[in-house]
Amino acid sequence: MGKHSRPGPPNQPSRAVPRLDDGDPLAAYEKRRRPPLDVHRRHRPLHGGGGHLRPDEPRALEEWNGFSYEPAGTAANLTEAQRWVNGTVPGTGAAAE
């Protein structure tokens, strides 16, 4: 194994991006509109600090709009924020089962 055989840490998504389609005139534009590391939803503590610290404090929810992250609401704690990021919102049929 050479010095540069691994593209990044094993716990992060691949940063390898597909090649641009020569037939699509908007391919370069679409590439720039992808969110960083393909994370479309994220949460952050309202009062700063590490995301894993103080799991009972409220979180700010942010969603990618194609250009930047915009506020999408708040969650009461870390568990609810993680459910929102993963798409299982309490009160819906999928989460209630």
Side-chain angles (χ1 to χ4, degrees):
M1 291 183 76
K3 182 177 178 183
H4 300 286
S5 63
R6 188 170 53 97
N11 63 344
Q12 292 183 356
S14 173
R15 293 187 181 134
V17 295
R19 297 178 80 69
L20 294 178
D21 183 13
D22 293 333
D24 184 10
L26 298 176
Y29 174 75
E30 291 297 329
K31 179 181 175 186
R32 287 193 305 267
R33 291 185 54 102
R34 283 198 324 260
L37 295 175
D38 290 328
V39 176
H40 292 274
R41 289 178 159 189
R42 69 180 185 185
H43 62 87
R44 296 178 176 240
L46 279 180
H47 306 293
H52 63 289
L53 300 174
R54 299 184 299 274
D56 296 331
E57 290 190 0
R59 309 284 174 179
L61 306 175
E62 299 175 338
E63 200 162 20
W64 184 257
N65 66 3
F67 179 70
S68 64
Y69 286 101
E70 63 183 12
T74 59
N77 55 33
L78 177 61
T79 305
E80 288 183 20
Q82 289 173 338
R83 284 186 190 139
W84 180 80
V85 167
N86 294 329
T88 56
V89 180
T92 62
E97 294 176 357

